[in-house]
Amino acid sequence: MRIEISGRGLEITDAIRSYADTKCQKLLKFFDGVQEIEVVLDQERRDHHEEFTAEIIVTVVKHEPFIAKAMGKDVYASIDLASDKATRQITDYKKKLRDHH
């Protein structure tokens, strides 16, 4: 299982990398079929304020990748929101699989 963290217009510090990695590790406990998690962090400057975007792409077996995207004024808050969205997508998929069989 691989977790890849990258940034666009934003330097990925050790603290940000560690935080994103911890959040992504939590996704693994919801579904065993996770193959890869990619986190893309982006920073944009608009009208004298910064906005951060976190995109988490979760690749699982026998399904197209789950993509969770969130925006916020803080990079950590955007990671939290995207992680919550990815968690919901994965748990919904797991329920669907369990109910189907």
Side-chain angles (χ1 to χ4, degrees):
M1 220 303 298
R2 198 175 82 184
I3 298 175
E4 190 175 309
I5 301 166
S6 60
R8 282 185 254 160
L10 170 72
E11 183 183 338
I12 304 299
T13 63
D14 288 340
I16 293 172
R17 184 176 307 279
S18 172
Y19 188 79
D21 190 71
T22 302
K23 285 292 188 176
C24 290
Q25 290 292 337
K26 290 181 181 178
L27 294 175
L28 300 176
K29 70 179 181 181
F30 294 109
F31 187 61
D32 295 334
V34 175
Q35 293 179 319
E36 179 184 8
I37 300 174
E38 183 180 352
V39 181
V40 180
L41 303 173
D42 192 10
Q43 178 183 14
E44 296 179 13
R45 288 178 173 77
R46 293 185 186 166
D47 301 329
H48 306 295
H49 70 276
E50 296 177 339
E51 198 165 75
F52 296 92
T53 304
E55 184 176 38
I56 299 178
I57 304 163
V58 183
T59 306
V60 297
V61 294
K62 298 182 182 177
H63 193 274
E64 57 192 50
F66 295 105
I67 301 172
K69 192 172 187 177
M71 298 175 83
K73 296 185 186 295
D74 179 22
V75 68
Y76 297 102
S78 60
I79 292 170
D80 285 342
L81 290 171
S83 174
D84 291 345
K85 287 181 180 182
T87 300
R88 183 188 48 77
Q89 290 176 358
I90 290 171
T91 53
D92 287 352
Y93 175 65
K94 188 173 178 180
K95 282 182 194 171
K96 184 177 170 184
L97 282 178
R98 195 178 319 125
D99 293 345
H100 183 64
H101 292 292

